[in-house]
Amino acid sequence: MISQTRIANFNNFLRDKGLTLICAESITAGLLSSTIASVSGASAILKGSIVTYDATVKTKVLGVDEQIIADHTAESKETTFAMCAGLREIYPDTTIAVAVTGVASLPTTDYIIEREVGQIYVAIWYKAFHQFETVIKADGTDDERNEIREKAVEYILGKIEEVVGNV
C-alpha cells in the first residue's frame, strides 16, 4: 500500500509545477487515478482517467489502431504508446498524459498472453513521449495480482517524477 504521505508528496510535486495529469489505465484499471485522488487537493492535478481494460475501449475511445493490437497484443509497448497518443488527441491541454498496460495474472480465458506475469509498459507524454517497461515481481502474498497492480502504480508515480524532473 502506498502511503498517504507519498501520494501527497507526488501531488504537491505536480501542483507546485502547475502540471495536470490524464490517465489511460489497463492493468491498473483505475488504481493509478484512484491512488492520486485519495488525498485532498488532487483535483488541482488530476483531470481524469479512462479505464481501457478491454481492447475495444482502447480502439473505440482512444483510437488505438486495431492492427496494432492484432500485431503486438493489447499488453504491448506499441499499444501503450498508441493509448498515450490517443489521450493527447482527446485532452491536448493536459500537461502530462500517462498510459499503462501489462499482465497482472494469467488469463482465465483462451486469450494468449505473450508476456510474463508482472510485465508492464508505461508511456508518458510530457513535452515529448517517454516509454518504460519493467517486470514487477510479487512478494508471494496471497493476492499477487493486486500486489503487482499496486507496485505498478508506485512505479508509474516514480517515472512521472523522473520525466518531469529531467525535462
Side-chain angles (χ1 to χ4, degrees):
M1 183 95 147
I2 302 171
S3 76
Q4 293 293 291
T5 301
R6 168 70 174 108
I7 301 162
N9 288 342
F10 173 83
N11 290 3
N12 290 338
F13 173 73
L14 294 187
R15 188 195 67 236
D16 291 349
K17 292 182 174 298
L19 303 176
T20 57
L21 178 70
I22 187 81
C23 308
E25 302 183 62
S26 185
I27 186 175
T28 54
L31 186 60
L32 174 61
S33 56
S34 177
T35 297
I36 293 167
S38 70
V39 297
S40 180
S43 61
I45 63 160
L46 183 63
K47 295 301 177 188
S49 183
I50 300 169
V51 175
T52 62
Y53 211 68
D54 185 80
T56 305
V57 180
K58 291 173 177 70
T59 58
K60 293 196 182 284
V61 176
L62 294 178
V64 174
D65 189 317
E66 290 178 5
Q67 197 61 50
I68 291 173
I69 294 173
D71 290 347
H72 303 284
T73 78
E75 303 82 14
S76 67
K77 65 181 177 182
E78 293 83 3
T79 298
T80 310
F81 180 87
M83 289 167 57
C84 196
L87 278 177
R88 292 289 307 143
E89 289 291 318
I90 297 169
Y91 298 101
D93 295 335
T94 303
T95 53
I96 302 170
V98 61
V100 58
T101 61
V103 180
S105 63
L106 294 175
T108 56
T109 64
D110 292 337
Y111 184 75
I112 303 297
I113 297 290
E114 298 177 359
R115 284 147 188 78
E116 67 180 294
V117 171
Q119 177 71 55
I120 68 163
Y121 299 95
V122 179
I124 300 170
W125 187 90
Y126 174 67
K127 299 185 180 181
F129 280 102
H130 308 270
Q131 288 197 272
F132 305 95
E133 61 184 88
T134 192
V135 175
I136 295 174
K137 298 291 185 188
D139 295 330
T141 66
D142 290 337
D143 192 4
E144 289 185 353
R145 173 185 180 73
N146 285 316
E147 182 183 345
I148 288 169
R149 293 174 60 237
E150 288 175 9
K151 286 182 174 184
V153 168
E154 203 163 347
Y155 176 81
I156 295 164
L157 296 178
K159 288 302 177 185
I160 293 169
E161 290 168 330
E162 180 182 311
V163 166
V164 169
N166 289 334
V167 174

